Amino acid sequence: MQSYDVLVVGAGAAGVGIGCALQELTLTPNQWLIIDRTAVGSSFRHWPCEMRLITPSFPGNDFGVIDLNAVTPHTSPALSLAAEHPSGPDYARYLCSLAEHFELPIRTDVSVTAVEPADDGFIVRTTSEPLHARLVIWAAGEFQYPRTTGFCGAEQCLLASTVSSWNHIMGTDPIIIGGYESGMDAAIHLARRGMAVRVIDAGTPWDTIDTDPSRTLSPYTQERLRALPNGALTLIGETRVERVVTVAEGYYVFTNHHPVPLFSAMAPILATGFAGSLSSPAIAPLFARRDDGYVVLTTEDESTITPGLFVVGPNVRHDDLIFCFIYKFRQRFAVVARAIGQRLGLPTDGLDWYRERGMFLDDLSCCDTTCAC
Amino acid sequence: MQSYDVLVVGAGAAGVGIGCALQELTLTPNQWLIIDRTAVGSSFRHWPCEMRLITPSFPGNDFGVIDLNAVTPHTSPALSLAAEHPSGPDYARYLCSLAEHFELPIRTDVSVTAVEPADDGFIVRTTSEPLHARLVIWAAGEFQYPRTTGFCGAEQCLLASTVSSWNHIMGTDPIIIGGYESGMDAAIHLARRGMAVRVIDAGTPWDTIDTDPSRTLSPYTQERLRALPNGALTLIGETRVERVVTVAEGYYVFTNHHPVPLFSAMAPILATGFAGSLSSPAIAPLFARRDDGYVVLTTEDESTITPGLFVVGPNVRHDDLIFCFIYKFRQRFAVVARAIGQRLGLPTDGLDWYRERGMFLDDLSCCDTTCAC
């Protein structure tokens, strides 16, 4: 059985990003490995083709403002892709070029079926041979793990994340369930095609103003919404979907607010977020959980009940801090890499410039200082 | 004659930004003053109404990525304007809200006619009473000082910066002289209206790839160019305009490359950059000049020949470093404010958090570290 000091699971934005940070530890190629179920950046390749990164890329790195979508302090997707809002395939290309440039040791087409604590580390069961690792960094993402439960008939709906193009969706009267970024992205593309779009959400995310972009629609989306013709969208807030019933002519959506169900000839589109890869049985038991379902992590993003198991990526939360954008979770790469280096007795001073470039968030009391101006 | 310790000339992005930094020095209101020829942010109010900030705003401040268009470390135009690419009037509103929030002492409708070194400082002559100041910070901008010379007949052309809306421009065959951001912005808006647009430039800025956004078109503009129909724009690079001749039917544009002049029925549009306010006779003599015309500054952005006279804003250059974007020149506010504080014997520790938040560029050997990924 092959044995590694560090095994990274996932070669998306989080896996490639932590990989670049780990290279600063001067690990030798046979000391560590990144594995991915399919290929580098593959989740991004499955985005609807109209979908773009909602955080804008800009090559401000050299003047202290790192490209929001960069996963290392000195690269910029804006520069390499000549794009402000890269598409999914664009962004996958950026990740591939990083993997090549930083010579990351990546093995693709390896899917993890279980992670088992063992002597001096973990046995990681995969669809091919099992691997041994002293330390495991879980960097699998969210996009391939949509949240599909919550009401009866959800399985009749169309999952937003499985749509290859909004141009393939036929009909005139879509109902979209979920009014955060992915629901609004669907709504915008369908409304631009002239459909009468309704968006239902249990809250009113379109009205929320918060200094934290994880709790409010992005400026990019707000601008696109304003550019739609008046009345193109009907926003139905503070409304919970209770069930979806299929009949011959279409779909009835029952809510807690409408005395009669809403009707659509088209399958309702489900955009209710992501359960995330940490909900997978292969890994879920190795973490303690908060009341809201998120995993409990140490200040170095290690499992509190399974030492040696770290998490990077959009699943990381600390108290009220949500790390679900690239520009947020990348702030923790060097923190985790430093912990790995210390654990393995490797020099960590190569990580200093992550801190110098403002990409090293170890003070979790940060934040909420932006004023309303 | 009223006398101040510090007088800031200009209440645009640079003047309001340095004003917010100066407030950290705990100056009393009667110790300093900001004056502006018209009003806070007035240059921005004169932008063509279709024009937007080309740097994208995003409220990433709390996670170490300050909004590119913010002039203080803890504000965000993305947040207060709900916009990614604010318009000129939008941005002026942001500056006004800062002026109010930070209680900046601003006097408007005061135009500077001369700055004269005098005992213990300067006499600043204005269109109303003269003012005395120990230290002067020149924060007047660029937009109201276009570069209009360079070839015969330039005065026959339409200055891009004087256009109130590209929708007011009538014709079918515009020639735009200058292919950087403002020329391309004009080109994009006119091409979207179906005009056959030609852009002439002495170089090929549309092909330049550089890690420095001051030397290449922004991702925002690159994306907008790609979205135009094929053939909507004719880009004429490596071509210098030698003269423009007006005839009854229109305008002939003679270049160094075309054996016969280019013809347009419309006045050519001049977008050849800005001479900047430091070219104004009121202030020009107080600086030494580099060969390229930019002023020579100390490492604290003070005139090398007129002690006590500082510069902030897009006119600042150090060697090859160009500070012509907000996210660049704001990096020098705290450097200048610190120098002012030291000169006046005031505590400067209020500026520490500019450094903590990565908004304090005093190491001018920075930069050029972004790799091509």
Side-chain angles (χ1 to χ4, degrees):
Chain A
M1 181 159 53
Q2 276 180 290
S3 184
Y4 299 93
D5 286 330
V6 188
L7 186 73
V8 179
V9 179
V16 168
I18 187 69
C20 295
L22 290 173
Q23 281 296 48
E24 300 296 332
L25 302 176
T26 65
L27 287 157
T28 56
N30 61 353
Q31 270 184 291
W32 70 300
L33 184 68
I34 302 175
I35 56 176
D36 194 273
R37 188 160 58 172
T38 45
V40 174
S42 68
S43 287
F44 291 98
R45 294 189 203 276
H46 287 100
W47 279 13
C49 72
E50 295 85 6
M51 194 162 138
R52 298 289 179 269
L53 284 163
I54 53 176
T55 35
S57 271
F58 189 84
N61 302 34
D62 291 348
F63 281 77
V65 197
I66 303 173
D67 189 318
L68 283 161
N69 298 312
V71 295
T72 76
H74 69 356
T75 65
S76 164
L79 193 66
S80 59
L81 304 171
E84 179 168 272
H85 289 282
S87 68
D90 276 348
Y91 197 73
R93 272 198 295 134
Y94 163 70
L95 294 178
C96 287
S97 71
L98 284 188
E100 195 177 339
H101 180 84
F102 285 86
E103 301 182 351
L104 303 182
I106 298 177
R107 192 180 299 167
T108 55
D109 296 311
V110 180
S111 186
V112 171
T113 53
V115 177
E116 298 164 3
D119 284 349
D120 191 27
F122 300 88
I123 305 294
V124 177
R125 308 272 169 201
T126 76
T127 42
S128 53
E129 66 200 309
L131 302 167
H132 178 267
R134 278 179 68 188
L135 303 168
V136 168
I137 302 176
W138 192 261
E142 288 199 318
F143 190 76
Q144 297 181 356
Y145 305 87
R147 183 177 287 127
T148 52
T149 54
F151 56 84
C152 290
E155 70 284 356
Q156 312 295 331
C157 299
L158 178 64
L159 274 173
S161 58
T162 61
V163 171
S164 63
S165 168
W166 295 109
N167 280 330
H168 298 164
I169 305 298
M170 293 303 147
T172 57
D173 62 347
I175 291 175
I176 295 169
I177 302 171
Y180 272 96
E181 290 291 350
S182 55
M184 283 304 190
D185 191 62
I188 288 162
H189 293 297
L190 296 177
R192 283 181 184 166
R193 291 176 54 208
M195 298 185 189
V197 179
R198 289 160 288 174
V199 179
I200 304 178
D201 196 277
T204 54
W206 45 79
D207 282 338
T208 309
I209 295 173
D210 195 294
T211 61
D212 183 352
S214 297
R215 301 178 203 276
T216 188
L217 294 176
S218 65
Y220 178 58
T221 298
Q222 291 183 60
E223 279 190 353
R224 290 185 298 158
L225 285 172
R226 282 202 298 272
L228 292 177
N230 269 340
L233 276 189
T234 305
L235 301 173
I236 306 170
E238 306 287 358
T239 299
R240 233 187 321 278
V241 171
E242 295 189 326
R243 66 185 193 282
V244 169
V245 174
T246 314
V247 294
E249 323 80 78
Y251 300 80
Y252 283 103
V253 177
F254 291 79
T255 76
N256 65 337
H257 260 190
H258 296 83
V260 293
L262 304 174
F263 176 79
S264 170
M266 308 162 61
I269 294 161
L270 202 57
T272 43
F274 300 94
S277 62
L278 287 171
S279 61
S280 130
I283 189 76
L286 301 185
F287 292 94
R289 299 271 161 178
R290 318 184 335 173
D291 288 345
D292 61 5
Y294 283 91
V295 298
V296 184
L297 297 172
T298 70
T299 54
E300 292 178 323
D301 291 351
E302 190 173 4
S303 167
T304 52
I305 60 170
T306 312
L309 174 62
F310 294 82
V311 178
V312 294
N315 299 299
V316 173
R317 293 207 172 191
H318 285 279
D319 296 328
D320 286 342
L321 292 184
I322 306 172
F323 288 83
C324 73
F325 278 92
I326 290 165
Y327 80 97
K328 292 177 162 189
F329 64 68
R330 73 182 184 192
Q331 289 277 24
R332 302 288 294 170
F333 293 156
V335 174
V336 172
R338 183 181 56 176
I340 299 283
Q342 287 166 345
R343 215 66 64 89
L344 297 175
L346 294 168
T348 60
D349 39 314
L351 295 166
D352 288 350
W353 66 292
Y354 274 73
R355 189 189 290 274
E356 282 159 28
R357 302 304 291 267
M359 209 169 124
F360 196 109
L361 182 70
D362 55 353
D363 177 7
L364 293 170
S365 69
C366 79
C367 315
D368 275 346
T369 57
T370 302
C371 88
C373 292
Chain B
M1 181 160 53
Q2 278 182 289
S3 183
Y4 299 93
D5 286 329
V6 188
L7 186 72
V8 179
V9 179
V16 168
I18 187 69
C20 295
L22 290 173
Q23 280 294 48
E24 301 296 333
L25 303 175
T26 65
L27 288 156
T28 57
N30 61 353
Q31 270 184 292
W32 71 299
L33 185 67
I34 302 175
I35 56 176
D36 194 273
R37 189 161 58 174
T38 45
V40 174
S42 68
S43 287
F44 291 98
R45 294 189 203 276
H46 288 99
W47 278 14
C49 73
E50 296 84 5
M51 194 163 138
R52 298 289 178 267
L53 284 163
I54 53 176
T55 34
S57 272
F58 189 85
N61 302 33
D62 292 348
F63 282 78
V65 197
I66 303 173
D67 189 319
L68 283 160
N69 298 312
V71 295
T72 77
H74 67 357
T75 65
S76 164
L79 193 65
S80 59
L81 304 171
E84 179 168 273
H85 289 282
S87 69
D90 276 349
Y91 197 72
R93 274 199 292 137
Y94 162 71
L95 294 178
C96 287
S97 71
L98 284 188
E100 195 178 338
H101 180 83
F102 285 85
E103 300 182 351
L104 303 183
I106 299 177
R107 193 179 300 166
T108 56
D109 296 312
V110 180
S111 186
V112 171
T113 53
V115 177
E116 299 165 2
D119 286 349
D120 191 25
F122 301 87
I123 306 293
V124 177
R125 308 271 170 203
T126 76
T127 43
S128 54
E129 65 198 313
L131 303 166
H132 177 266
R134 280 178 68 188
L135 303 168
V136 169
I137 302 176
W138 192 262
E142 288 199 319
F143 189 75
Q144 298 181 355
Y145 306 86
R147 184 176 287 129
T148 53
T149 55
F151 56 85
C152 292
E155 69 285 357
Q156 312 295 332
C157 299
L158 177 65
L159 276 173
S161 57
T162 63
V163 171
S164 63
S165 167
W166 295 108
N167 280 330
H168 299 163
I169 305 298
M170 293 301 147
T172 58
D173 62 346
I175 291 176
I176 295 169
I177 303 171
Y180 273 95
E181 289 292 349
S182 54
M184 282 305 190
D185 190 61
I188 288 162
H189 292 297
L190 297 178
R192 283 180 185 167
R193 290 176 55 208
M195 297 185 188
V197 180
R198 289 159 289 174
V199 180
I200 304 179
D201 197 279
T204 53
W206 43 80
D207 282 337
T208 309
I209 296 173
D210 196 293
T211 60
D212 184 352
S214 296
R215 301 179 204 276
T216 188
L217 294 176
S218 65
Y220 178 59
T221 298
Q222 292 183 60
E223 278 190 354
R224 288 184 300 158
L225 285 171
R226 282 202 298 273
L228 291 177
N230 269 341
L233 276 189
T234 305
L235 301 173
I236 305 171
E238 307 287 358
T239 299
R240 234 186 319 278
V241 171
E242 296 189 327
R243 66 184 191 282
V244 169
V245 174
T246 313
V247 293
E249 324 78 76
Y251 301 79
Y252 284 102
V253 177
F254 291 79
T255 75
N256 65 338
H257 259 188
H258 298 82
V260 293
L262 304 174
F263 176 80
S264 169
M266 310 162 60
I269 294 161
L270 202 56
T272 44
F274 300 94
S277 63
L278 287 171
S279 61
S280 134
I283 190 77
L286 301 186
F287 292 95
R289 298 269 161 182
R290 316 180 342 168
D291 288 345
D292 61 5
Y294 283 90
V295 299
V296 183
L297 297 172
T298 70
T299 54
E300 290 177 325
D301 292 351
E302 191 173 5
S303 167
T304 52
I305 61 170
T306 312
L309 175 61
F310 293 81
V311 179
V312 294
N315 299 298
V316 174
R317 292 206 174 191
H318 285 280
D319 298 327
D320 286 342
L321 291 184
I322 306 172
F323 288 83
C324 73
F325 278 92
I326 291 166
Y327 79 97
K328 292 177 163 190
F329 65 69
R330 73 181 183 193
Q331 289 278 23
R332 303 287 294 170
F333 293 156
V335 174
V336 171
R338 184 182 55 177
I340 300 283
Q342 286 165 349
R343 217 64 66 88
L344 296 175
L346 295 168
T348 61
D349 40 311
L351 295 166
D352 288 350
W353 66 292
Y354 274 74
R355 190 188 289 276
E356 283 158 27
R357 301 303 292 266
M359 210 168 123
F360 196 109
L361 182 69
D362 55 354
D363 176 7
L364 293 170
S365 69
C366 78
C367 316
D368 276 345
T369 56
T370 301
C371 88
C373 292

